[in-house]
Amino acid sequence: MDVIAAASGLADPHASGNLAAAGGDVGGGEANLVLPDLNLASVHGVSGVVLLIAGMAICVAGLLFGLFTFLRLRRLPVHRSMLDVAELIYSTCKAYLTRQGKFLLILWVFITAVIFVYYKILVGFSWGKVGIVVLFSLLGMGGSFAVAWFGIRVNTFANARTAFASLRGLPYYVHKIPLQAGMSIGTVLISLELFMMLLILVFLPSDVAGACFIGFAIGESLGASALRIAGGIFTKIADIGADLMKIVFKIDEDDPRNPGVIADCTGDNAGDSVGPSADGFETYGVTGVALVTFVMLAVHDPALQALLLVWIFVVRAAMIVGAAVAYAVNGLWVKSRFGTAKRMNFETPLTTLVWLTSLICIVLIYGVSAFVLGQLGAGMWWKLATIITCGTLAGALIPELVKVFTSTNSRFVRETVKSSREGGASLNILSGLVAGNFSGYFLGVAIVGLMAIAYVMSLLGLGGADDCSGSVCVRAGGFRFPWYGASDDSCRFLWASHG
């Protein structure tokens, strides 16, 4: 079979993809990529295009799940005074995002000028192709901005309803509502990004797909960088402003009499919701573009290129299913164990969810890889699946290592508290630096170790495919890290509403 015979192309260090075939070293980078006919990929008699359309259906289901969760959050009971505070914060967030949107459009004008100079003047693209890059850069930036807006709307809904639910005295509901909000944001974020990439792969002409991908990546990177950096700066300025009121006028930071409390709550949403949402959208997208580029340059046979592209995006779609199943199963277990409990460790259900998601995704990775790539022989499917698994495990190991240094039960945290009591600010800073340096070291060791495993797997006949591990690890993590943002301000709602 041609695909099996071409499998050695993945390990061919001289395979230069279709860029070289088009005429040697040409400018324009990814914009020159010409994707293969995905119908060349046939998996047990099923066309690769059909599999990708099935992946699009999963993305639509993910978007509907996120929308349904959003509407369910909206219908949860909430005290009127808490809702008023939430809407005040959301109004301030809207003003912030509106200003950020105008700023992004100004940045986009500058980026468009750079795109024109590079692709039209220096590379010599046609006006049509330059226009495609510009158009998709606007779509990518709009996607980052849209998911950021959706995230901040969901979070301000969840904040007030979490605060009201906490009045029951049962911690289960304080855990459940923020988790629902996080799953809504994460699922919409990943599903929207993957749907747009599959749309380019399946329905747009293969000779313009590269320009679409690079334009989309430029736009979402622009949006994410601006929203991430500006959100982080805004939240710190607002936080310090509220703290200064506490120091100078002896008004607590979360006291409703503190004029900085609403700005502080808005800053928390800007820094912990807007930035991470846009950043997650961008990261998931650009790693997808990187994987497409890697396959096109590392493999010279169109049939194998098509098969690997189908495999990558079917695995990505399967991970959405895995995350949803893990969320449902973990939810049933948490409710049975903590539904009526008076006390609970909030880290426990999050930890079980992270590991359950990782394990289910790993099973799906191997299953999908065997289904799609089993025809290649030589154990190619399990080698590539193991490389992706290294990235998936990173998404589970990183939170575990972070907890060692940031958990309320952490020895490092207790040491920092002790240093503050006995040594003042200087010893507190030194203790924090020690914990930060240790955490960075062990996180780095973990990542290097997983990359080393992936590299060893690549030596079994995959050439440079170990590069996939770093970018694929984002896939599972995209569902995990937004969960914490929705509950940050719940205690503030209680204080502002009921004193």
Side-chain angles (χ1 to χ4, degrees):
M1 185 176 180
D2 292 339
V3 172
I4 298 175
S8 61
L10 190 61
D12 183 3
H14 303 291
S16 56
N18 54 5
L19 286 181
D25 185 14
V26 295
E30 294 90 338
N32 281 309
L33 290 176
V34 178
L35 300 184
D37 182 1
L38 297 178
N39 285 306
L40 293 174
S42 179
V43 181
H44 302 289
V46 181
S47 169
V49 171
V50 173
L51 291 176
L52 294 182
I53 291 176
M56 295 178 71
I58 292 175
C59 294
V60 172
L63 291 170
L64 292 176
F65 169 81
L67 179 61
F68 172 75
T69 305
F70 168 76
L71 295 176
R72 188 166 60 177
L73 279 172
R74 190 175 183 176
R75 290 193 297 266
L76 289 176
V78 59
H79 193 279
R80 182 65 197 176
S81 60
M82 295 181 181
L83 187 60
D84 290 340
V85 175
E87 290 304 311
L88 177 59
I89 292 174
Y90 177 63
S91 298
T92 313
C93 291
K94 282 199 300 183
Y96 166 78
L97 278 176
T98 301
R99 177 63 63 88
Q100 287 288 70
K102 295 176 181 178
F103 176 64
L104 282 175
L105 287 175
I106 296 173
L107 288 179
W108 179 75
V109 171
F110 284 101
I111 293 298
T112 299
V114 174
I115 291 173
F116 169 76
V117 170
Y118 178 70
Y119 284 112
K120 181 60 183 175
I121 298 177
L122 299 181
V123 178
F125 277 5
S126 65
W127 281 108
K129 202 165 188 178
V130 174
I132 290 172
V133 177
V134 172
L135 173 62
F136 275 83
S137 69
L138 183 60
L139 289 176
M141 187 181 71
S144 290
F145 187 78
V147 296
W149 195 296
F150 178 76
I152 212 167
R153 175 70 278 191
V154 172
N155 277 348
T156 48
F157 271 146
N159 290 156
R161 287 150 180 84
T162 301
F164 184 73
S166 67
L167 297 177
R168 301 186 190 185
L170 298 176
Y172 168 72
Y173 296 98
V174 180
H175 152 81
K176 179 183 177 181
I177 296 174
L179 188 59
Q180 286 180 342
M183 282 302 297
S184 175
I185 298 168
T187 307
V188 167
L189 183 157
I190 298 299
S191 298
L192 179 62
E193 175 69 55
L194 186 56
F195 182 85
M196 296 179 75
M197 297 195 72
L198 289 174
L199 196 67
I200 296 172
L201 279 172
V202 174
F203 293 107
L204 294 185
S206 60
D207 58 340
V208 301
C212 297
F213 277 132
I214 191 61
F216 196 70
I218 290 172
E220 59 189 359
S221 296
L222 172 66
S225 59
L227 292 172
R228 183 69 160 175
I229 295 171
I233 295 173
F234 181 88
T235 186
K236 292 308 174 188
I237 292 175
D239 190 36
I240 292 172
D243 287 336
L244 288 176
M245 292 296 296
K246 176 174 61 177
I247 295 171
V248 176
F249 297 102
K250 310 301 181 184
I251 302 175
D252 287 342
E253 179 185 359
D254 300 323
D255 193 311
R257 296 173 299 169
N258 189 332
V261 67
I262 297 298
D264 194 11
C265 291
T266 302
D268 287 341
N269 279 282
D272 300 333
S273 176
V274 171
S277 297
D279 194 29
F281 184 84
E282 178 266 346
T283 302
Y284 192 79
V286 297
T287 51
V289 175
L291 287 170
V292 171
T293 304
F294 170 76
V295 169
M296 297 304 298
L297 297 181
V299 182
H300 57 77
D301 182 82
L304 185 57
Q305 287 176 347
L307 187 64
L308 290 174
L309 289 176
V310 169
W311 165 69
I312 287 172
F313 285 93
V314 171
V315 167
R316 285 189 149 200
M319 283 188 168
I320 297 177
V321 177
V325 171
Y327 170 67
V329 172
N330 190 74
L332 293 174
W333 174 77
V334 173
K335 185 175 182 179
S336 65
R337 181 172 177 181
F338 300 108
T340 57
K342 295 296 184 182
R343 298 180 63 86
M344 68 177 285
N345 184 345
F346 288 98
E347 292 178 357
T348 300
L350 292 175
T351 300
T352 58
L353 181 55
V354 167
W355 281 103
L356 184 59
T357 303
S358 297
L359 293 176
I360 292 177
C361 286
I362 288 171
V363 171
L364 289 173
I365 288 168
Y366 279 95
V368 170
S369 299
F371 176 73
V372 178
L373 301 179
Q375 58 185 301
L376 293 181
M380 188 71 70
W381 69 269
W382 66 262
K383 296 172 186 176
L384 288 171
T386 302
I387 290 173
I388 294 184
T389 297
C390 291
T392 305
L393 285 176
L397 289 176
I398 288 175
E400 289 297 312
L401 292 173
V402 168
K403 284 197 304 182
V404 172
F405 300 94
T406 61
S407 171
T408 55
N409 299 319
S410 167
R411 181 173 63 87
F412 290 94
V413 171
R414 293 197 300 269
E415 181 67 26
T416 302
V417 173
K418 183 179 179 181
S419 300
S420 301
R421 289 172 177 169
E422 299 182 4
S426 299
L427 195 57
N428 171 277
I429 293 173
L430 290 175
S431 181
L433 286 173
V434 170
N437 289 334
F438 270 111
S439 66
Y441 172 78
F442 284 109
L443 288 174
V445 168
I447 295 299
V448 170
L450 290 169
M451 292 181 67
I453 295 173
Y455 177 71
V456 171
M457 293 304 303
S458 74
L459 296 180
L460 300 179
L462 299 177
D466 56 296
D467 292 338
C468 295
S469 64
S471 53
V472 172
C473 71
V474 179
R475 300 177 189 174
F479 287 94
R480 297 175 186 153
F481 297 107
W483 292 343
Y484 300 92
S487 62
D488 287 346
D489 298 319
S490 299
C491 60
R492 302 186 182 192
F493 283 108
L494 282 174
W495 177 261
S497 305
H498 293 276

